[in-house]
Amino acid sequence: MRKRTEIIGLALTALILISGCGSSVSAGTAVGAYAGKWAYNHDVEKTALVINDEGTAKLDGKKYTCTAEDDMVILQNDKGESVKVVFKDDEDDILVYKPTLYTRESGTEGIAGRWICDKWSFEFTEAGTFLEDGYFPGYYAVNEEESVIVLIYNDMFENTIIPYSLTEEGLCLDYPWEMVRK
């Protein structure tokens, strides 16, 4: 148990340091360095995000307006739903935090249980393990004070910090999708 706690602590520290590095954008200014075409890092041939200097954007075929706030750009659609965009390490890598609502399939309290959203799923156990989409296992830790879940994958991916909220509708995860400049 102590070793797992140490691993989670190290992972949290590393991710916080990484996410703190990046370009700064002043609130209320143009989108600046974020403007341009972006692709998901797993499909670099296809443009998935276009951010224009005049304050408009298109993500996965959906139209948004965008504004700079602190160290990020906020995309907002006409329904008021928003997506956060932040630089990862430099001006060629960004993280796009797309909110996704998962509904509980099993479990009764907290995030423990099985959660589904269309073809995606998460299963969180009381023992601190998870299984994403039925394929990707690992350990997780919940920081309720900061409303984040830290996923520590066994093999496939880097450790991931996911902002979350539990509501009457379900578990909303703002999963960070990596994008690269085209």
Side-chain angles (χ1 to χ4, degrees):
M1 180 71 177
R2 180 172 180 205
K3 185 173 183 171
R4 189 172 87 192
T5 303
E6 289 172 357
I7 290 171
I8 291 170
L10 286 172
L12 275 171
T13 302
L15 288 169
I16 288 168
L17 289 173
I18 288 170
S19 66
C21 298
S23 296
S24 180
V25 175
S26 300
T29 63
V31 294
Y34 292 92
K37 295 181 179 180
W38 301 87
Y40 290 107
N41 69 342
H42 61 270
D43 187 6
V44 297
E45 298 300 316
K46 182 180 176 187
T47 300
L49 171 64
V50 177
I51 299 176
N52 300 305
D53 280 325
E54 69 273 0
T56 61
K58 196 171 195 180
L59 173 63
D60 298 330
K62 297 177 184 173
K63 293 181 181 182
Y64 293 85
T65 58
C66 52
T67 55
E69 289 188 17
D70 300 321
D71 290 339
M72 70 183 79
V73 169
I74 305 293
L75 308 180
Q76 190 167 31
N77 66 17
D78 57 1
K79 296 177 184 175
E81 301 164 334
S82 62
V83 175
K84 296 176 190 169
V85 179
V86 298
F87 281 114
K88 184 178 177 195
D89 297 319
D90 58 40
E91 292 186 5
D92 290 326
D93 297 308
I94 58 174
L95 294 174
V96 175
Y97 290 87
K98 297 188 331 185
T100 305
L101 183 64
Y102 289 77
T103 57
R104 188 184 296 275
E105 189 175 72
S106 68
T108 58
E109 198 173 301
I111 70 162
R114 180 167 165 76
W115 300 88
I116 56 171
C117 177
D118 297 322
K119 61 183 177 181
W120 300 299
S121 67
F122 273 100
E123 187 168 346
F124 297 100
T125 69
E126 294 286 344
T129 62
F130 75 92
L131 184 63
E132 179 180 352
D133 298 337
Y135 298 108
F136 309 113
Y139 295 90
Y140 76 95
V142 177
N143 182 329
E144 291 179 5
E145 189 173 297
E146 294 186 25
S147 298
V148 296
I149 301 169
V150 180
L151 301 180
I152 303 161
Y153 290 92
N154 288 350
D155 297 329
M156 300 296 292
F157 308 110
E158 294 180 22
N159 298 343
T160 304
I161 296 175
I162 304 175
Y164 82 98
S165 61
L166 273 171
T167 67
E168 289 180 12
E169 290 84 31
L171 174 65
C172 185
L173 299 177
D174 290 354
Y175 198 92
W177 294 91
E178 285 190 48
M179 289 191 166
V180 294
R181 189 178 295 279
K182 286 194 75 171

